[in-house]
Amino acid sequence: MLTTFADQPDIEIVGEVADESEISASVKKTLPNVVVIALDRPGTRPHICDELLREHPEVRVLAVAADKNCVVYYWASFEIYSNNIEASEEGMLGAMRRNLVAKNAN
């Protein structure tokens, strides 16, 4: 999946971690626009998602369960929101690009 993003000229990979316990520290260090995480149980928001969005509400989270053909896009405002998107490269890239357009407009 990393190659899907790495091959895009308007997307820069700023970090990768091997273990979920490293995500928060990596996000704090790199301050990415979007964090891509594994979605172990579709239909249940991952705990790391809540932690990330509380600490970094400007970050968007793309939770991917490729084996279950499920991708969920999370963001926060006063609440944490999600939107099921098309489980394809186009769906994931579209979600990432919508976030970048919104940030650049501000």
Side-chain angles (χ1 to χ4, degrees), residues 56-99:
H56 307 281
E58 72 284 359
V59 169
R60 304 302 190 248
V61 178
L62 196 58
V64 180
D67 60 330
K68 295 185 176 31
N69 199 31
C70 181
V71 178
V72 183
Y73 185 65
Y74 294 97
W75 68 96
S77 143
F78 290 107
E79 297 291 329
I80 296 174
Y81 299 94
S82 67
N83 190 14
N84 289 326
I85 61 173
E86 180 182 322
S88 67
E89 287 184 15
E90 292 82 17
M92 291 186 291
L93 293 170
M96 293 181 84
R97 288 186 173 117
R98 278 190 296 276
N99 177 58

Side-chain angles (χ1 to χ4, degrees), residues 13-104:
I13 307 298
V14 296
E16 182 179 8
V17 298
D19 189 85
E20 184 177 294
S21 65
E22 301 171 24
I23 293 174
S24 290
S26 180
V27 168
K28 187 175 183 175
K29 179 180 170 187
T30 60
L31 299 174
N33 293 320
V34 178
V35 176
V36 180
I37 64 171
L39 180 61
D40 297 326
R41 295 182 318 216
T44 302
R45 187 171 63 232
H47 294 291
I48 188 69
C49 182
D50 291 5
E51 179 183 330
L52 289 173
L53 292 173
R54 271 191 216 101
E55 291 180 25
H56 307 281
E58 72 284 359
V59 169
R60 304 302 190 248
V61 178
L62 196 58
V64 180
D67 60 330
K68 295 185 176 31
N69 199 31
C70 181
V71 178
V72 183
Y73 185 65
Y74 294 97
W75 68 96
S77 143
F78 290 107
E79 297 291 329
I80 296 174
Y81 299 94
S82 67
N83 190 14
N84 289 326
I85 61 173
E86 180 182 322
S88 67
E89 287 184 15
E90 292 82 17
M92 291 186 291
L93 293 170
M96 293 181 84
R97 288 186 173 117
R98 278 190 296 276
N99 177 58
L100 294 174
V101 168
K103 275 195 152 189
N104 291 333

